[in-house]
Amino acid sequence: AQKITQTQPGMFVQEKEAVTLDCTYDTSDPSYGLFWYKQPSSGEMIFLIYQGSYDQQNATEGRYSLNFQKARKSANLVISASQLGDSAMYFCAMRESWMDSSYKLIFGSGTRLLVRP
Amino acid sequence: SQTIHQWPATLVQPVGSPLSLECTVEGTSNPNLYWYRQAAGRGLQLLFYSVGIGQISSEVPQNLSASRPQDRQFILSSKKLLLSDSGFYLCAWQYLEVGTTEAFFGQGTRLTVV
């Protein structure tokens, strides 16, 4: 079964507007972490934001915020005031249980965001 | 500060040839190390991870193998490449501690098997 689901293969947004990229996850582990990465055309993976399963507040990092709805198992990324440089692939990822020493990240299939001028 | 080096950046190899991709980490000790593969336009698939020297776990049965001969060195290999081995290979590392530490990725190797 898919552990991380990103249902939007592609999205468009007008420059300076906000956009929400969806991510749902599946886990029975009470302790987990959720991540968003940006991958520009160069291929590098750029860490954007992290949300822990026990965090009470939604994570924010500059123009990025994570809309964490634990009961719905969703962790949507909100980008405010989109810029042309935000055009890229965006990946949601999950890391389960700190007791698992692998700390491996499981990634979704990604959403390609295109910012229109 | 910590850095991760991955090479080569691009590689074109014929079917049946061997493969060796190398990844090294600087500025940290005893990291967890990972190899991911990304098919064109797709997400990242975890291939191997290592929690210590000589310790390799495979996530997906395949034509590839991994080794960790030194603490900060992780190697991805194949004896005979297949066309299906084409893709973008990313090495990553993480700290072994509880917290918000993200995985750090190398620049990737774009492998084309012809």
Side-chain angles (χ1 to χ4, degrees):
Chain A
Q2 288 258 357
K3 290 213 168 187
I4 296 284
T5 302
Q6 294 181 255
T7 57
Q8 306 153 313
M11 291 275 288
F12 289 97
V13 65
Q14 206 66 33
E15 192 179 8
K16 299 180 184 177
E17 291 184 353
V19 63
T20 298
L21 306 184
D22 295 341
C23 174
T24 58
Y25 59 92
D26 181 26
T27 182
S28 57
D29 197 321
S31 176
Y32 53 91
L34 297 158
F35 301 76
W36 277 92
Y37 280 84
K38 172 184 178 181
Q39 187 182 44
S41 57
S42 60
E44 62 183 311
M45 294 291 285
I46 302 169
F47 167 73
L48 296 178
I49 198 166
Y50 167 84
Q51 180 84 41
S53 59
Y54 294 120
D55 293 343
Q56 297 296 314
Q57 307 260 2
N58 283 346
T60 59
E61 288 286 348
R63 293 186 300 110
Y64 304 107
S65 60
L66 201 152
N67 183 2
F68 182 47
Q69 298 189 42
K70 197 169 182 177
R72 294 185 178 182
K73 294 188 175 178
S74 74
N76 299 339
L77 176 70
V78 180
I79 305 175
S80 63
S82 296
Q83 302 172 356
L84 295 178
D86 293 334
S87 294
M89 280 288 286
Y90 288 82
F91 291 100
C92 179
M94 177 174 65
R95 180 168 61 201
E96 291 179 303
S97 182
W98 302 115
M99 297 302 291
D100 176 359
S101 63
S102 75
Y103 290 92
K104 55 190 177 185
L105 287 177
I106 305 300
F107 284 82
S109 56
T111 295
R112 184 171 298 279
L113 178 66
L114 184 61
V115 180
R116 290 170 164 156
Chain B
S1 63
Q2 303 85 10
T3 55
I4 180 168
H5 301 281
Q6 189 181 339
W7 67 91
T10 59
L11 193 58
V12 179
Q13 292 283 100
V15 168
S17 64
L19 172 73
S20 180
L21 302 181
E22 189 164 342
C23 171
T24 60
V25 181
E26 295 178 358
T28 186
S29 59
N30 198 29
N32 271 15
L33 295 170
Y34 310 84
W35 278 110
Y36 287 88
R37 177 170 62 198
Q38 184 180 23
R42 305 288 295 276
L44 277 69
Q45 180 187 39
L46 180 62
L47 301 177
F48 300 95
Y49 67 89
S50 171
V51 301
I53 296 174
Q55 300 180 63
I56 307 296
S57 296
S58 174
E59 288 289 299
V60 181
Q62 60 222 319
N63 185 42
L64 303 169
S65 62
S67 62
R68 185 171 178 175
Q70 300 179 44
D71 181 42
R72 287 170 285 181
Q73 184 184 31
F74 204 23
I75 298 172
L76 183 69
S77 305
S78 173
K79 292 183 179 177
K80 288 185 178 182
L81 283 168
L82 306 172
L83 287 174
S84 57
D85 291 325
S86 294
F88 189 55
Y89 289 82
L90 286 155
C91 179
W93 71 274
Q94 289 186 107
Y95 276 127
L96 299 183
E97 61 186 38
V98 175
T100 62
T101 307
E102 69 272 25
F104 297 91
F105 285 82
Q107 296 297 306
T109 296
R110 202 165 299 279
L111 171 66
T112 304
V113 183
V114 296

